[in-house]
Amino acid sequence: MEAPDGDERLCRTAADWRPHELRELRQAGTYLVDDRGRIIEVSAQAQRLLGRTADELLGRDAHDLLHRGRHGESLPRSRCTMRQPLLAGGSGQGELEWFERGDGTLLPVSWLLTPCEVGAGRTGSLVIFYRTETAVPAPPGPEGASASMSELDRLALLAETTTTLTSSLEVEETLRQLVRLTVPLLADWAVVDLLTEDHGVSRAVVAHHENGVVIHREDLQGPMPPVPEESPMPLSRALRGVTATLVGPETYQGTPDSRIAVAQRKLFRATGMHSACIAPIRGVREVVGALTLGRADQPGAFTTADLLLVEDIARRAGLALDNARLYERQRRVAETMQRHLLPQLPVVPGVQMTARYVPAPHASQVGGDWYDAFHLPGGGTALVIGDVVGHDLDAAAGMAQICNMLRAYAGAQRELPSTILDRLDRAVMRMAQVTMATVVLAHLEHTDDGRWLVRWANAGHPPPLLVEDDGRTRLLEAGHGPLLGTGLRPTRADAEIELPPGSALLFYTDGLVESRTHSLDEGFGRLRGRAADLARQPLDALCDLLLEGVRPKDNDDDVAMLALRVP
């Protein structure tokens, strides 16, 4: 059985839990839950009533596995009457509630719950349940568990939390929305502690609602001490994924058992919180962090019913943060892979040369845009810009193959750019998975009389841009032919131009000019106008400012750029 939340102590078999230690009752089932609400022992009668084996029950969260509404719907934890005495460490009972059996049918039950010892220094609860044959109205909840919000408001908040938090794939935005949803509606302080990838703790958010605005206390944020393995203090337990807890300043009046408890005592003193809820933020497989909501200016202490709501909110935040972290991790991998596929630029005496690669702003997949530059046999420099159709690993693989084949063909012998593209096109058609791509291949040459010449051929790519020293610009649209991989056999042509002294030549991919809301001609016009204004800027600044001022805001593509300037 896989351990939920990454807790190695749950990696046990049914035999390890020794379910026979629970005494059998003739008509009632019994099971034990630990302080996280997970089933750790179960009687044979409970297995028969639930239609589930011990292996199907042990180590599972009792609420998630069993508790259902009248029509079989899953219940949010804020509506779970069994969670209130479980969190409060007290006894409780319930009538006419429903458990889901192994075959999907509903079992109407009444239950009793009481706290007990489940191991050395560990507490849990014993649950006794039996089938209910007649409808009995549920008793009122325990004293002091009344909610500060109506049930309808709670459900609306949970629905908004789910919708809002899952709409973003950025950790910072998810945390910002989490604060907005909870402050000042539930509390005037919100604190989020996150577990880092190196198993440390970072206090990512300390936010306070004051005079109608949310103020972030950066002086209280930053790295935190490590989480002790056995500490019973609320934050340490939450960061280990144990359970949600109601706390107050009195919780930290004793001698702190760890440095993280010292940090918590300082937090309560600095914020003036008189009541707080601390809940674990759980992802799909592991604990992500802990959420603390505190009241300093707001009157009234949190109740166990409030704690259930905060616990539900934290669970939803955990799923959103888990997704955001996974997305950011995939994005970093994709960007690293893309950058390692791009080359180092050669040194050409007298010529300035630079390149840029910017990944798609809202995608985690590696793209097919690339640039290249290398010395040619017999003198001169090859300049390449290309874009493989697609935005996935197949596109990246196709890009790598085409880039390497182009280098091989161009470096084997001196041939015209159009001839090399013809050979490359035929090679692409022989690939196991035919890849369509656009490419510009240009040869830069320095003549004996001091001129700089560029000869190029274009396979379906946006035309290079010539930017002269006086601000005149021109799109080099000659030498244009079909893209690679179409199966056509076009007659490709070469074009040639002499670069004026001090001029810059810009190669780029379509992500720089394409937009879903404007025509391509408008994109080219914006590029030429901006380049004219920046004609005398240093080459690096020219590229950076073009990316900033020309790239459309609704662009969803990578951008590769290769630029050079002659003396």
Side-chain angles (χ1 to χ4, degrees):
M1 182 186 302
E2 182 177 350
D5 300 328
D7 192 340
E8 295 180 357
R9 292 177 296 177
L10 288 179
C11 296
R12 306 181 183 179
T13 64
D16 294 324
W17 294 109
R18 301 185 303 279
H20 61 274
E21 291 186 359
L22 285 179
R23 293 300 182 96
E24 288 296 328
L25 301 177
R26 290 185 178 182
Q27 296 182 345
T30 55
Y31 62 83
L32 281 178
V33 295
D34 64 9
D35 51 9
R36 301 189 189 191
R38 295 176 303 196
I39 301 172
I40 58 174
E41 292 188 26
V42 58
S43 69
Q45 178 65 1
Q47 296 174 53
R48 286 190 291 270
L49 287 171
L50 296 173
R52 301 174 186 267
T53 66
D55 283 335
E56 294 172 325
L57 293 165
L58 295 176
R60 301 290 299 277
D61 185 289
H63 173 81
D64 292 344
L65 182 66
L66 301 177
H67 298 184
R68 297 295 180 265
R70 181 186 301 271
H71 304 290
E73 71 277 13
S74 298
L75 288 178
R77 289 172 179 260
S78 58
R79 292 178 57 194
C80 176
T81 55
M82 194 178 290
R83 292 288 294 173
Q84 294 186 13
L86 185 66
L87 291 175
S91 300
Q93 66 180 47
E95 302 285 349
L96 193 58
E97 299 191 19
W98 289 267
F99 284 177
E100 183 177 298
R101 304 182 78 250
D103 60 3
T105 60
L106 294 179
L107 177 71
V109 299
S110 295
W111 55 266
L112 300 170
L113 180 148
T114 187
C116 64
E117 295 290 333
V118 297
R122 299 176 61 197
T123 60
S125 296
L126 170 66
V127 179
I128 303 173
F129 68 95
Y130 55 92
R131 180 191 295 273
T132 301
E133 301 297 343
T134 57
V136 179
E143 184 179 356
S146 61
S148 58
M149 300 175 64
S150 70
E151 184 66 19
L152 184 60
D153 289 338
R154 286 166 173 260
L155 292 176
L157 175 59
L158 290 176
E160 184 184 4
T161 299
T162 301
T163 302
T164 302
L165 296 186
T166 56
S167 65
S168 173
L169 287 175
E170 296 181 358
V171 171
E172 289 187 3
E173 176 63 16
T174 300
L175 294 177
R176 189 184 72 82
Q177 293 293 348
L178 178 59
V179 171
R180 183 187 67 81
L181 288 164
T182 55
V183 175
L185 182 62
L186 298 177
D188 43 38
W189 284 93
V191 181
V192 179
D193 296 290
L194 295 180
L195 296 173
T196 62
E197 292 185 357
D198 58 357
H199 307 293
V201 182
S202 173
R203 181 147 281 172
V205 173
V206 179
H208 179 219
H209 184 264
E210 185 177 342
N211 298 324
V213 297
V214 175
I215 300 173
H216 286 264
R217 290 287 302 273
E218 295 184 2
D219 59 310
L220 299 176
Q221 298 172 187
M224 291 280 286
V227 181
E229 287 295 329
E230 300 297 333
S231 172
M233 299 303 288
L235 180 60
S236 297
R237 286 162 56 86
L239 289 170
R240 297 198 307 267
V242 177
T243 188
T245 313
L246 291 173
V247 300
E250 66 279 0
T251 308
Y252 299 98
Q253 287 179 352
T255 303
D257 66 347
S258 61
R259 289 192 295 135
I260 199 169
V262 174
Q264 276 295 88
R265 184 166 63 181
K266 290 180 179 178
L267 175 71
F268 271 76
R269 289 176 177 174
T271 61
M273 292 188 292
H274 61 80
S275 178
C277 296
I278 302 179
I281 302 176
R282 296 188 183 94
V284 176
R285 292 184 175 273
E286 59 187 4
V287 181
V288 177
L291 169 65
T292 301
L293 295 183
R295 291 174 179 171
D297 302 325
Q298 294 183 10
F302 283 104
T303 66
T304 53
D306 295 324
L307 185 62
L308 292 173
L309 178 62
V310 174
E311 187 181 41
D312 252 339
I313 291 173
R315 285 173 67 87
R316 286 159 169 77
L319 296 176
L321 288 170
D322 214 16
N323 288 336
R325 282 184 164 184
L326 177 61
Y327 169 83
E328 291 185 353
R329 194 176 300 122
Q330 290 175 336
R331 183 180 178 87
R332 289 197 300 269
V333 171
E335 290 181 15
T336 301
M337 178 180 176
Q338 180 81 49
R339 295 186 190 281
H340 279 292
L341 290 172
L342 298 174
Q344 295 291 324
L345 299 180
V347 175
V348 180
V351 175
Q352 301 174 41
M353 192 179 301
T354 191
R356 297 289 185 274
Y357 171 74
V358 181
H362 302 296
S364 62
Q365 294 177 320
V366 65
D369 293 24
W370 90 94
Y371 60 81
D372 201 359
F374 50 90
H375 294 302
L376 292 166
T381 305
L383 308 168
V384 182
I385 193 77
D387 186 0
V388 171
V389 175
H391 293 90
D392 51 27
L393 290 177
D394 288 337
M399 178 264 281
Q401 292 182 72
I402 292 175
C403 178
N404 290 332
M405 287 191 295
L406 180 55
R407 267 187 169 245
Y409 290 150
Q413 57 186 2
R414 192 58 177 261
E415 293 180 308
L416 293 173
S418 60
T419 303
I420 296 172
L421 289 185
D422 282 338
R423 296 178 62 197
L424 181 62
D425 198 3
R426 291 192 294 271
V428 167
M429 295 304 299
R430 294 193 299 269
M431 290 170 58
Q433 183 173 347
V434 176
T435 300
M436 299 180 69
T438 65
V439 182
V440 174
L441 172 60
H443 291 173
L444 175 67
E445 300 177 3
H446 190 208
T447 64
D448 293 338
D449 56 2
R451 296 179 301 150
W452 292 93
L453 302 178
V454 173
R455 182 181 293 110
W456 76 94
N458 189 332
H461 200 82
L465 177 69
L466 177 65
V467 184
E468 298 189 37
D469 185 55
D470 59 4
R472 287 181 294 176
T473 64
R474 186 180 1 154
L475 291 171
L476 305 184
E477 299 181 292
H480 203 278
L483 71 166
L484 307 178
T486 62
L488 303 175
R489 288 292 178 264
T491 302
R492 300 187 186 275
D494 295 283
E496 184 176 294
I497 189 174
E498 178 182 342
L499 299 179
S503 63
L505 185 60
L506 177 68
F507 301 87
Y508 53 93
T509 55
D510 55 9
L512 184 64
V513 292
E514 280 193 346
S515 167
R516 291 189 297 271
T517 57
H518 299 90
S519 69
L520 193 55
D521 286 341
E522 289 181 83
F524 287 138
R526 187 168 56 250
L527 173 61
R528 293 184 62 180
R530 185 67 172 151
D533 295 337
L534 302 171
R536 296 193 176 183
Q537 288 284 340
L539 195 61
D540 284 318
L542 172 66
C543 290
D544 293 336
L545 293 171
L546 286 177
L547 281 169
E548 179 183 331
V550 176
R551 189 184 191 191
K553 300 300 182 183
D554 62 352
N555 174 272
D556 195 27
D557 202 356
D558 300 359
V559 179
M561 296 175 63
L562 177 64
L564 63 91
R565 175 172 281 153
V566 296

